[in-house]
Amino acid sequence: MKRRHMLSFLLSIVIIMTLVVGCGGSEAPADSDDGGEDTEATDSGPVNLDLATMKMGSSWYSYGSVLSELITKELPEGSRVNIIPESGAGANPTLISDGTFPMGLSMNQASSWAYEGKFIFEKPLENLRGLVGYLDTYFYAAVMTKSFGYTDLADVAKDKAPMRVSTGPAGSTGEVATRLIFEYYGFDYDDIISWGGKVEHNDYNTTVELFKDGQADFHMHNVTAGHAALTELAASTDVVFLEFPDELIDDYVEKYGFSREVMPADTFRGQPEAINSMGLTTSLITNTDMSDDIAYAITKAIVENPEAMHKAHAALKRFTPEDAWKPDGLGIPLHPGAEAYYREAGLLK
């Protein structure tokens, strides 16, 4: 009897520990279960990897589908890649550096800032490493509703117009860029509020609904061709796309690591002409804890399937194996496992 009681007690402990571990995972889509990380060597059996993307409705969340499918096929049988809808380039480098997630999407600029401890990152995150870069091209798109009556932020500042701003979560790359743009024109969030306007930090879906309901006048974010939220916003609301002056673009390319880009005409409804803008590019990053063979397998899975990438999303047509390893598309050093693949494939000499 004592032995039976002892076995029952131990079984109860195991069940409790299982529940605790299972409830401790990060938020994930319904089809991704509990997530978790296992970066053991690929010859030791299946692995379970989380892929940090961005909120549902974003291009990055869409990217997660094709990336998870390709990566899973290259990993040992039974492996899983879970798409995690995290908060994007402003947060993902930190979450990957501290081991919350083993890999995720980031912007080359944000990764560089994180690695060096600049701007929105308080300290250098020197354990970050790159896997695959130049997945796409992002343009900074700024829109105003036609009903607001302005087409230039300089005039907004001059008239102290009560502009209603819907921007991204505080610290996200789009939100930081919005602040930098306002700074160029000589005002900030407090000024907007003092003029009778408002500033709200919202996700994409909320921003779209605010524009539809006539409750927002201005939004700016880094977007790709085919970006779901901005496509819906422009299709449902009459908006004007603002063009940045050359002086601003040149200044911010030099100061903050943006790239000069041109958003082609008709990328979105209400944008009949090409627009001079600034840009960024998406990359897949990890940290130094990832094993070389896992990093090798992930890199191989993506680089050897450009056609699948191109079919998955309009913005991923930018991706080429020849550019995937380049430092300016990553912003951080290559992971040794990724570097080994690029050298073996003859892409990196």
Side-chain angles (χ1 to χ4, degrees), residues 17-346:
M17 292 302 294
T18 301
L19 290 173
V20 169
V21 172
C23 293
S26 302
E27 177 189 5
D31 62 353
S32 67
D33 293 341
D34 62 336
E37 176 187 1
D38 182 354
T39 55
E40 293 299 316
T42 55
D43 59 4
S44 65
V47 294
N48 193 12
L49 301 172
D50 286 342
L51 169 62
T53 59
M54 199 172 180
K55 300 298 182 182
M56 294 182 187
S58 67
S59 295
W60 278 12
Y61 187 78
S62 299
Y63 292 5
S65 296
V66 64
L67 291 174
S68 62
E69 181 180 353
L70 293 176
I71 293 168
T72 301
K73 290 179 180 178
E74 193 65 35
L75 295 174
E77 185 176 354
S79 295
R80 298 186 57 187
V81 177
N82 310 298
I83 308 170
I84 306 298
E86 274 303 320
S87 54
N92 285 354
T94 299
L95 295 171
I96 293 165
S97 175
D98 68 17
T100 301
F101 302 114
M103 62 178 173
L105 296 176
S106 182
M107 292 292 185
N108 55 336
Q109 179 197 61
S111 296
S112 176
W113 290 359
Y115 187 76
E116 298 178 9
K118 292 182 176 180
F119 302 112
I120 61 176
F121 298 94
E122 296 180 357
K123 62 179 182 179
L125 305 180
E126 297 178 346
N127 66 333
L128 292 176
R129 294 294 183 269
L131 294 170
V132 183
Y134 275 123
L135 296 179
D136 57 17
T137 297
Y138 268 76
F139 313 97
Y140 272 100
V143 296
M144 281 186 185
T145 57
K146 288 184 178 179
S147 60
F148 184 49
Y150 287 85
T151 59
D152 193 327
L153 287 171
D155 292 332
V156 171
K158 178 183 176 182
D159 295 345
K160 299 183 178 179
M163 182 169 63
R164 297 167 299 176
V165 176
S166 181
T167 186
S172 64
T173 53
E175 189 273 334
V176 171
T178 298
R179 280 191 276 127
L180 291 174
I181 294 298
F182 289 169
E183 180 182 299
Y184 175 85
Y185 288 98
F187 63 90
D188 57 22
Y189 292 164
D190 290 338
D191 291 321
I192 293 172
I193 294 169
S194 72
W195 301 339
K198 66 179 182 180
V199 177
E200 295 184 0
H201 298 278
N202 297 311
D203 59 25
Y204 286 128
N205 293 333
T206 301
T207 293
V208 171
E209 291 305 313
L210 287 173
F211 271 78
K212 285 182 180 180
D213 295 340
Q215 299 298 312
D217 304 308
F218 176 89
H219 176 70
M220 189 183 93
H221 205 80
N222 42 303
V223 300
T224 57
H227 188 275
L230 188 57
T231 297
E232 182 180 356
L233 189 157
S236 61
T237 310
D238 286 331
V239 296
V240 176
F241 283 77
L242 279 60
E243 187 164 29
F244 301 127
D246 286 338
E247 179 184 280
L248 183 158
I249 296 173
D250 290 340
D251 189 31
Y252 281 21
V253 166
E254 181 178 351
K255 281 184 179 178
Y256 303 120
F258 295 104
S259 60
R260 175 180 280 276
E261 302 289 348
V262 176
M263 189 162 72
D266 298 316
T267 301
F268 300 98
R269 176 181 175 270
Q271 185 239 321
E273 298 179 353
I275 292 178
N276 291 324
S277 183
M278 303 178 297
L280 304 166
T281 184
T282 300
S283 56
L284 180 65
I285 68 171
T286 184
N287 61 43
T288 53
D289 289 336
M290 178 172 280
S291 65
D292 288 358
D293 60 337
I294 291 286
Y296 181 102
I298 291 170
T299 305
K300 182 177 187 290
I302 299 168
V303 174
E304 294 188 357
N305 289 282
E307 296 85 3
M309 298 283 285
H310 298 165
K311 290 178 182 178
H313 195 286
L316 293 175
K317 289 182 171 61
R318 164 68 177 84
F319 175 71
T320 66
E322 291 75 18
D323 289 340
W325 62 272
K326 292 182 177 178
D328 50 353
L330 291 165
I332 52 177
L334 275 172
H335 189 287
E339 181 177 349
Y341 169 77
Y342 288 119
R343 291 192 183 281
E344 182 179 298

